[in-house]
Structure formats: structure tokens, C-alpha cells
């Protein structure tokens, strides 16, 4: 129950506030992610989320608990889709995160580029569109794409959904609860 970090968010209330995240919440989130997605020591995570966002918590901690490599993007690199394609390919990144609006911009840089090393892409922070899903998964059949959802107050994410190419849904589901979580 000791404090792991304090992060600021407007979260579900729209009012800025500091959220105190305890170790147990962060550990539950990271252990769930490892159980669900099985990162290995040879994998590489691109750390590109600004530290002021809760997603950076899993970008830092998940690879470190399994002995995988953490690759840091250059400052402001998370805003440059062409740079991201280059660093993903050059550094053989296997796991990364996008907010859906950045995934859409990133998808525009994919034609003519390969993402051979990428195993899993995680999206959260905004509503994910089927168009963005189809563009990424249509470009590369080996990548798995997951839509995650959760307020900062609940230690990053509380639900997960594996996206599929060409699903016919009015909106992309937020998925089912992660371990030790109820909705």
C-alpha cells in the first residue's frame, strides 16, 4: 500500500488533481500485462510516452521486470510518425503504445515501411476507430493490436480487448476487466 508515484490528471472528473498510485495497483497492472502478453528478455519496448502520462508506467516497469530492453525515443519523438517508423525498425522494437490519434498519424507513414519486429501494439487514452485498426493490421498480418481502457486513478488500465481486422462493430469495445478488477 506504499506510494509508488503521484501523477496529475483531470481524469473522470474534468478537474485537475494529483492521483496517488500505490505499489499494489502498479504491480497488479504489470503482472497482469506479463501474464496476458508474455514479454520475453529478447523483446524491446519503445518508451515514448511523456512521463506525465500514466502509460509511461508500464513502458518503464514491464520490460524491467522481465529483463527486456527499454529503448528511449528522442525528446518530442512521440510526435513524429516518420521518426517512429525509423526507430521501430532500426531498434527492432517489439512492443509499443499509441494514443489512437497518433496511431492514425503513424499509419500514414507505413506504406513502403516494414514493422517486422513489432509483436504487439497497445492503444489507450482515446476512442480507437476500426479504420485505424484496419490500417495497422492490414499493413502487417503478424502484429496484435489491443485496445486498453482505464482511468489514471485505477493504475493505468482496467480493461483490455484484442482488436481484429475488419470487425463490423459500431464502436471498438473496451474489453473485459484485467486481473483483480471489477467493473
Amino acid at each position: 500500500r506504499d506510494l509508488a508515484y503521484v501523477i496529475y490528471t483531470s481524469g473522470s472528473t474534468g478537474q485537475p488533481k494529483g492521483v496517488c498510485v500505490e505499489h499494489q495497483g502498479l504491480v497488479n497492472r504489470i503482472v497482469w500485462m506479463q501474464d496476458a502478453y508474455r514479454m520475453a528478455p529478447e523483446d524491446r519496448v519503445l518508451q515514448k510516452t511523456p512521463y506525465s502520462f500514466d502509460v509511461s508506467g508500464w513502458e518503464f516497469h514491464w520490460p524491467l521486470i522481465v529483463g527486456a530492453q527499454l529503448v528511449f525515443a528522442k525528446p518530442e519523438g512521440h510526435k513524429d510518425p516518420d521518426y517512429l517508423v525509423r526507430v521501430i525498425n532500426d531498434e527492432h522494437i517489439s512492443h509499443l503504445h499509441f494514443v489512437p490519434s497518433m496511431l492514425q498519424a503513424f499509419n500514414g507513414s507505413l506504406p513502403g515501411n516494414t514493422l517486422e519486429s513489432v509483436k504487439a501494439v497497445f492503444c489507450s487514452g482515446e476512442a480507437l476507430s476500426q479504420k485505424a485498426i484496419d490500417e495497422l493490421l492490414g499493413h502487417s498480418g503478424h502484429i496484435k493490436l489491443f485496445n486498453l481502457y482505464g482511468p489514471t486513478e485505477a493504475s493505468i488500465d482496467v480493461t483490455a480487448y484484442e482488436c481484429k481486422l475488419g470487425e463490423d462493430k459500431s464502436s471498438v469495445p473496451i474489453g473485459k476487466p484485467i486481473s483483480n478488477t471489477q467493473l
Side-chain angles (χ1 to χ4, degrees), residues 82 85 89 104-115 135-136 139:
D82 293 326
V85 169
N89 287 328
Q104 191 67 49
F106 177 80
N107 284 341
S109 294
L110 290 179
N113 290 297
T114 63
L115 299 174
E135 286 176 357
L136 180 67
H139 177 75

Side-chain angles (χ1 to χ4, degrees), residues 16-95:
K17 64 183 174 283
V19 173
C20 298
V21 177
E22 297 176 350
H23 282 269
Q24 66 183 356
L26 180 60
V27 168
N28 183 69
R29 173 59 171 69
I30 300 303
V31 169
W32 162 78
M33 204 165 196
Q34 178 60 13
D35 287 347
Y37 305 117
R38 310 307 299 168
M39 186 181 293
E42 62 272 9
D43 287 322
R44 304 184 94 191
V45 173
L46 180 59
Q47 198 295 309
K48 64 177 188 50
T49 303
Y51 312 137
S52 58
F53 291 95
D54 59 353
V55 167
S56 67
W58 79 252
E59 287 179 340
F60 286 122
H61 297 288
W62 186 23
L64 296 178
I65 68 161
V66 298
Q69 295 181 36
L70 186 59
V71 177
F72 288 87
K74 70 179 183 181
E76 301 298 310
H78 67 285
K79 298 177 181 178
D80 182 349
D82 293 326
Y83 164 78
L84 292 173
V85 169
R86 280 193 312 278
V87 74
I88 289 165
N89 287 328
D90 292 350
E91 298 293 334
H92 309 288
I93 301 301
S94 59
H95 296 72

